[in-house]
């Protein structure tokens, strides 16, 4: 049998590290619980967003009261993304993988392999 021992850090080592994979997934699970659009399975639950950059995966998770906009930079270089007319109302950063990434004046600066989830204020 092939053992993966040594390739995964023990939970006891990951728990105190705020940047660990364990804590990353805990944050994502908490976000999904807080924003119903992220857990919604009824159609339509996904709409394309974000323009035409093939190295950025972007989609809108619609919801009657709390829709969210999600961006994933799947490239190894930073990206500057201009939000479209329908996207510009999403001004609240709900989650980001890199604390230096920014949303300012309708433009999203997303680091290599970075993700950001945006909400809109009611």
């Amino acid at each position: 049998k092939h053992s993966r021992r040594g390739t995964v850090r023990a939970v006891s080592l990951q728990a105190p590290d705020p940047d660990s994979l364990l804590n990353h997934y805990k944050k994502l699970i908490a976000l999904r619980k807080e924003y119903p659009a992220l857990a919604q399975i009824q159609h339509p639950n996904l709409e394309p967003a974000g323009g035409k950059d093939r190295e950025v995966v972007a989609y809108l998770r619609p919801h009657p009261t709390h829709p969210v906009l999600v961006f994933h930079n799947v490239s190894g270089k930073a990206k500057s993304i201009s939000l479209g007319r329908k996207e510009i109302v999403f001004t609240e950063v709900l989650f980001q993988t890199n604390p230096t990434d920014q949303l300012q004046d309708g433009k999203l600066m997303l680091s290599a392999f970075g993700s950001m989830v945006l909400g809109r204020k009611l």
Side-chain angles (χ1 to χ4, degrees):
K1 280 185 173 178
H2 176 68
S3 173
R4 291 187 53 133
R5 218 171 249 235
T7 61
V8 178
R9 286 176 49 207
V11 170
S12 61
L13 296 175
Q14 289 191 53
D17 178 2
D19 296 325
S20 70
L21 189 59
L22 172 71
N23 285 314
H24 175 77
Y25 279 102
K26 282 184 173 184
K27 289 175 197 169
L28 288 174
I29 290 167
L31 188 69
R32 185 181 65 195
K33 287 179 180 178
E34 186 174 352
Y35 294 93
L38 292 171
Q40 177 174 280
I41 58 172
Q42 294 178 331
H43 195 70
N45 64 353
L46 199 63
E47 295 175 10
K52 299 183 184 345
D53 190 328
R54 299 184 119 191
E55 295 180 321
V56 175
V57 177
Y59 51 90
L60 171 69
R61 295 295 305 257
H63 188 268
T65 58
H66 293 94
V68 296
L69 188 58
V70 180
F71 289 90
H72 302 288
N73 179 0
V74 295
S75 78
K77 57 186 179 255
K79 295 283 183 172
S80 174
I81 304 150
S82 294
L83 299 183
R85 282 181 306 145
K86 294 180 182 179
E87 301 162 347
I88 201 131
V89 297
F90 291 86
T91 58
E92 185 179 5
V93 176
L94 306 176
F95 175 84
Q96 62 194 82
T97 54
N98 187 333
T100 63
D101 290 348
Q102 297 179 7
L103 173 64
Q104 191 171 27
D105 299 325
K107 189 166 281 205
L108 177 64
M109 302 302 291
L110 201 56
S111 59
F113 303 109
S115 296
M116 189 177 285
V117 179
L118 303 175
R120 68 175 195 210
K121 293 183 180 177
L122 300 176

